[in-house]
Amino acid sequence: MSNSEIAGIFENLYNILSIDEKTKFEALAYQRVARELQSMPDDVSDLYDKYGIGGLMKIPGVGKGIAQHIIEYLKTGKIEKYEKIKSEYPIDFKDLFRIEGLGPKKAILLYKKLGIKNLNDLKKAAEEHKIADIPGFGKKSEELILKNISMLASLHGRILLAQGLNEARKIISYLTKSDFIDRCFIAGSTRRMKETLGDIDILATSKDSKKTMDLFINFEDARSVMIKGETKTTILLSTGVTCDLRVINDASFGAALQYFTGSKDHNIKIRKIAIGNNYKLNEYGLFYNDSNIAASKDEKFIYNRLNMDYIPPEMREDRGEIELALQHRIPELISLNDIKGDLHLHTKESDGLNTTEEMVNAALEKRYEYIAMTNHTKNLKIAHGIGDQDFIKYFDTVDKLNQKYKIKILKGAEVDILKDGSLDLKDETLGQMDCVIASVHMNISMEKEDMTQRVINAIKTGKVNILGHPTGRLINKRSSYEIELDEVSKYCEKYKTALEINSSPERLDLNDENILKTSKYNVYYSINTDSHNIYGYDFMELGVGTARRGWLGKEKVINTMDLNGLMKFLKK
Ligand code: DCT
Ligand code: MG
Ligand code: MG
């Protein structure tokens, strides 16, 4: 895509030219085109190839001069006018604008006075208290700059799905309280339930887009406003991620939701298919002979009109789902409602925060049919793992609670898989359990072959119902163990061991790709939350979302079975 590169150059031309009265209008023209380029679906280079300079001049705001700049960029990779200006002001505006209240004027002043080009330079100058003396800044704004920088530094870029979903829902409930916003939906990677998010994307329809944007920038977690326009506004949230709000016309809602849900690769392919059928698809609609046949229609209409099954958002990654949809073979995916219980839970007996009874009550609120109490075993000292005797004693507690409550509480453990693949409890103890999870927690840096054999040995004991968090990765923190999941899956199939999809926000393990990979085998899965307190149950939606990203139907997931079916599976 050349659009965003050229838009970046035009934005910078705006930044520099806007500070001088004489070039202010020229600057505004560049800015207008930059925004246009960023939001248009067609690639300018395609446009130019097909229709020449005339095609470019059809873009709103593009006159002959700007069109020639675009052509120059497409041919040479640069724009001479910009190169000249840039050598005078070699400033990384985008970087600096991440600081609240810092615009072109101030950025250029900082460069002229102190040679500040980017956030690093700014940080250094602020630490040396050089900012306070610059006219228009002062001590207070120097402090604010330092605070802003330290917040930005704590970010790793992409945030976890759990955090983003939470934030997105807060924004939506805040916006929908007003009477001028009609509909408000999550789009982008958040809607696709991707494990990490680059930003949060939200769509709204409204009678008054200006009021909507004003409301949006006053959201309590907004730290600064990055872009404010009538159709698109971007704010930086205190979590460090940005949120895009797009206000759209009610008549293009379905097309806009399809477009802004992405993924980009999925959309590119869908747009090509549309063109192949003599349609044109963009965020405003599905056009046939210049009339929008998708007006006021939903997403499903668009897919169906292109002779495809509707594709659930979680599948839209261009991983073969489009081909499947064209053959009308999109599977029915599992949904949160199908889940009948949670089979991985911790209590105060090991490292959980709540008692078994408290966990039972929270499960009743979820209307679950069954749960499994699966505390850690003695090998895992840091999680206060317990031994055989303590498990046996604990089962009395479970028996009593089973009599008291209308939910089946299964006796279980999350037993450590020791270095040689043996299990950290005696066979007789395991024999008294309904549901045994086995997990690797210690000695995680092993050669691939050894780790694979270790896990297979554990499965081959015949005692393991579920292989817990099979790859051990922690998102943004620790990569997965070296393990050959194909081999492991073969043994899971043979020994009726389900693979876990662990829903805790940092794990999501197995991940989508590994689910796709292992589901070639005749294996089952168990979607669990690994809760350590009563609130943990809510993470089930993350595991279900991950399962949907891995194309799973409910028939492959053991905790969608009723109690009878589940008990049969667990008995092996
Ligand atoms: N989009 C598109 N074509 C483009 C740019 C964007 O179809 N040239 C759509 C697809 C995704 C959606 O807009 C939102 O864009 P992003 O927020 O950039 O992507 P995302 O899928 O939400 O991923 P990320 O987690 O990185 O934000
Ligand atoms: Mg996004
Ligand atoms: Mg976005």
Side-chain angles (χ1 to χ4, degrees):
M1 283 297 261
S2 323
N3 295 28
S4 55
E5 292 150 27
I6 300 172
I9 292 176
F10 288 169
E11 273 293 340
N12 280 347
L13 279 169
Y14 162 76
N15 291 331
I16 298 166
L17 296 172
S18 66
I19 59 162
D20 192 334
E21 269 311 310
K22 280 187 291 215
T23 48
K24 212 170 112 188
F25 287 105
E26 196 192 342
L28 285 169
Y30 284 120
Q31 189 191 37
R32 178 174 177 205
V33 176
R35 304 228 156 130
E36 204 63 48
L37 287 176
Q38 231 138 25
S39 62
M40 63 185 240
D42 303 309
D43 195 314
V44 275
S45 67
D46 287 345
L47 213 58
Y48 179 63
D49 286 348
K50 272 197 209 139
Y51 307 110
I53 186 162
L56 297 178
M57 286 172 70
K58 285 230 167 72
I59 302 170
V62 175
K64 205 166 169 206
I66 291 190
Q68 264 155 358
H69 285 326
I70 297 176
I71 296 167
E72 192 189 343
Y73 182 84
L74 293 175
K75 287 190 172 155
T76 68
K78 22 181 202 211
I79 297 171
E80 207 45 53
K81 180 187 172 99
Y82 175 60
E83 294 298 314
K84 259 202 208 126
I85 295 179
K86 194 174 74 175
S87 66
E88 238 181 291
Y89 297 106
I91 302 170
D92 187 349
F93 287 100
K94 227 177 153 188
D95 198 29
L96 287 171
F97 288 176
R98 293 158 78 197
I99 299 295
E100 198 172 354
L102 204 65
K105 251 199 188 122
K106 285 189 171 170
I108 286 177
L109 185 64
L110 287 170
Y111 176 69
K112 281 185 174 163
K113 297 272 182 198
L114 300 167
I116 291 170
K117 287 187 265 189
N118 50 38
L119 268 189
N120 260 343
D121 297 348
L122 182 66
K123 179 169 184 247
K124 204 160 155 254
E127 280 165 355
E128 292 165 9
H129 303 296
K130 287 181 179 161
I131 307 283
D133 296 329
I134 309 263
F137 281 89
K139 213 169 158 222
K140 255 225 163 105
S141 76
E142 189 178 72
E143 277 165 20
L144 206 67
I145 285 172
L146 279 172
K147 216 176 103 193
N148 261 282
I149 289 176
S150 74
M151 186 196 78
L152 288 170
S154 66
L155 318 169
H156 306 289
R158 302 182 69 85
I159 61 162
L160 296 180
L161 173 63
Q163 208 180 2
L165 261 181
N166 200 2
E167 198 75 75
R169 285 174 180 153
K170 249 166 86 180
I171 294 170
I172 285 181
S173 78
Y174 165 76
L175 290 176
T176 47
K177 276 195 195 102
S178 72
D179 53 8
F180 45 86
I181 294 171
D182 306 316
R183 297 203 270 182
C184 206
F185 279 89
I186 296 176
S189 46
T190 319
R191 184 165 182 238
R192 302 198 313 278
M193 300 291 278
K194 212 173 152 169
E195 62 190 34
T196 63
L197 314 173
D199 73 348
I200 296 169
D201 301 283
I202 292 178
L203 297 186
T205 61
S206 165
K207 292 184 248 316
D208 190 333
S209 88
K210 194 177 169 303
K211 263 165 104 179
T212 302
M213 294 311 190
D214 286 339
L215 183 71
F216 180 55
I217 63 173
N218 283 308
F219 177 60
E220 57 174 344
D221 293 346
R223 282 292 155 268
S224 61
V225 179
M226 322 271 292
I227 302 172
K228 184 160 183 268
E230 295 242 331
T231 56
K232 175 183 166 182
T233 291
T234 305
I235 58 173
L236 177 66
L237 299 168
S238 45
T239 41
V241 79
T242 58
C243 177
D244 285 347
L245 174 67
R246 287 187 176 81
V247 173
I248 53 177
N249 199 319
D250 206 47
S252 31
F253 194 79
L257 187 58
Q258 196 286 325
Y259 182 96
F260 291 113
T261 295
S263 68
K264 197 170 138 191
D265 291 343
H266 172 93
N267 284 354
I268 288 170
K269 224 179 219 179
I270 296 285
R271 279 174 225 148
K272 271 201 195 128
I273 289 172
I275 291 166
N277 287 296
N278 293 320
Y279 292 108
K280 186 182 160 200
L281 177 65
N282 59 29
E283 67 267 52
Y284 304 109
L286 181 66
F287 297 88
Y288 189 71
N289 289 336
D290 284 334
S291 76
N292 185 359
I293 57 165
S296 334
K297 296 279 181 10
D298 59 12
E299 280 185 311
K300 193 162 177 277
F301 174 86
I302 295 169
Y303 284 100
N304 292 165
R305 244 321 154 87
L306 299 175
N307 299 318
M308 278 184 255
D309 283 350
Y310 171 73
I311 302 177
E314 296 89 340
M315 290 181 78
R316 300 182 198 168
E317 298 290 347
D318 190 21
R319 292 196 278 218
E321 76 282 3
I322 294 172
E323 292 71 13
L324 218 57
L326 284 166
Q327 299 165 20
H328 303 291
R329 285 174 51 219
I330 290 289
E332 180 153 354
L333 301 183
I334 183 175
S335 73
L336 190 56
N337 279 332
D338 296 322
I339 297 292
K340 296 210 165 74
D342 197 331
L343 300 176
H344 188 162
L345 302 168
H346 296 271
T347 64
K348 272 189 163 166
E349 275 69 22
S350 66
D351 60 343
L353 295 178
N354 289 102
T355 63
T356 306
E357 188 154 12
E358 286 163 348
M359 292 302 279
V360 167
N361 277 304
L364 284 166
E365 267 173 46
K366 293 279 176 204
R367 300 178 182 280
Y368 283 157
E369 255 183 63
Y370 48 80
I371 49 175
M373 310 317 298
T374 54
N375 279 309
H376 288 294
T377 58
K378 57 189 190 301
N379 184 51
L380 201 61
K381 292 198 182 66
I382 88 165
H384 310 291
I386 56 179
D388 297 82
Q389 291 291 308
D390 289 329
F391 272 102
I392 304 286
K393 232 168 72 196
Y394 173 65
F395 293 155
D396 287 340
T397 314
V398 175
D399 283 335
K400 280 188 195 119
L401 291 171
N402 261 324
Q403 279 168 12
K404 186 166 169 192
Y405 290 98
K406 269 198 152 142
I407 181 171
K408 177 72 182 175
I409 310 158
L410 302 177
K411 297 170 188 168
E414 183 184 13
V415 55
D416 259 42
I417 300 177
L418 304 178
K419 218 173 162 181
D420 60 357
S422 60
L423 302 175
D424 189 28
L425 288 176
K426 287 187 188 139
D427 278 0
E428 316 138 46
T429 318
L430 295 171
Q432 291 196 36
M433 296 185 185
D434 307 298
C435 180
V436 175
I437 302 175
S439 307
V440 167
H441 289 119
M442 315 266 283
N443 305 103
I444 58 177
S445 44
M446 280 171 95
E447 296 289 328
K448 193 175 201 164
E449 211 174 299
D450 299 335
M451 183 61 94
T452 306
Q453 195 52 54
R454 172 181 176 183
V455 169
I456 287 172
N457 286 347
I459 295 169
K460 278 166 77 180
T461 62
K463 309 272 183 222
V464 181
N465 298 116
I466 299 168
L467 180 64
H469 43 75
T471 77
R473 66 88 177 252
L474 295 175
I475 301 171
N476 282 345
K477 278 195 188 151
R478 186 174 79 200
S479 49
S480 89
Y481 331 127
E482 297 286 330
I483 187 165
E484 188 51 73
L485 285 174
D486 284 292
E487 276 309 299
V488 170
S489 302
K490 288 177 198 162
Y491 284 88
C492 285
E493 196 180 315
K494 190 164 166 202
Y495 287 87
K496 267 180 108 182
T497 299
L499 290 163
E500 183 175 61
I501 298 171
N502 189 300
S503 315
S504 87
E506 281 198 316
R507 288 197 184 273
L508 299 182
D509 180 10
L510 297 176
N511 67 8
D512 51 359
E513 280 171 12
N514 284 328
I515 296 167
L516 283 168
K517 176 176 171 160
T518 52
S519 60
K520 292 196 301 265
Y521 301 90
N522 193 18
V523 287
Y524 286 89
Y525 299 84
S526 180
I527 308 177
N528 304 324
T529 63
D530 196 356
S531 292
H532 286 68
N533 60 51
I534 54 171
Y535 306 109
Y537 284 113
D538 288 339
F539 294 131
M540 186 59 83
E541 68 169 335
L542 307 177
V544 171
T546 305
R548 289 170 63 87
R549 288 179 62 80
W551 302 13
L552 282 190
K554 72 171 199 176
E555 66 286 350
K556 289 282 203 165
V557 179
I558 61 171
N559 52 325
T560 65
M561 298 174 176
D562 62 16
L563 181 62
N564 269 335
L566 176 74
M567 292 314 276
K568 249 187 231 150
F569 178 88
L570 296 175
K571 289 234 164 71
K572 299 204 172 207

